[in-house]
Amino acid sequence: MAYVVTDACIKCKYTDCVEVCPVDCFREGPNFLAIDPDECIDCSLCVPECPVGAIYAEDDVPKGQEAFIALNAELAKNWPSIVERIDPLPDHADWADVKDKLPYLER
């Protein structure tokens, strides 16, 4: 079981989580982070670091967001690793409470 980044990360892309990851399993896209399920060791250190609550254990992904399990695996294959914290996207505060952001995901 791996951890999964879900809808809340889209257009916010906080990176506090990447600094605590002991295996560098986060991958960076234009406006979203993904977790490589083949690298994740299920340590859960990233979960409390996410200010918008976007990270869940695979078995606990909220109803309606199950597609993010496969999406993380797919995107992690092509996106580069991110291992250091960077600033969130410029308009992150405007998107922090928006729901159903999947149409805004940039691949």
Side-chain angles (χ1 to χ4, degrees):
M1 176 184 73
Y3 279 77
V4 177
V5 181
T6 60
D7 190 69
C9 182
I10 297 171
K11 293 191 80 68
C12 289
K13 198 169 97 172
Y14 290 96
T15 57
D16 307 67
C17 52
V18 303
E19 283 192 319
V20 299
C21 181
V23 294
D24 300 334
C25 68
F26 281 89
R27 304 296 181 257
E28 180 184 18
N31 69 351
F32 182 70
L33 297 177
I35 293 176
D36 184 335
D38 296 329
E39 299 292 326
C40 180
I41 60 169
D42 309 324
C43 69
S44 79
L45 292 173
C46 57
V47 175
E49 298 301 317
C50 181
V52 292
I55 304 172
Y56 294 88
E58 189 174 317
D59 291 344
D60 296 330
V61 169
K63 185 177 178 180
Q65 295 198 36
E66 296 90 346
F68 282 91
I69 298 169
L71 186 61
N72 272 243
E74 173 194 333
L75 298 174
K77 291 178 185 175
N78 300 309
W79 285 354
S81 181
I82 179 171
V83 297
E84 293 182 0
R85 186 188 175 284
I86 60 173
D87 289 336
L89 296 174
D91 60 347
H92 66 93
D94 297 336
W95 290 93
D97 295 323
V98 175
K99 305 292 183 213
D100 302 318
K101 297 188 283 185
L102 187 54
Y104 302 103
L105 176 67
E106 296 176 29
R107 294 176 181 250

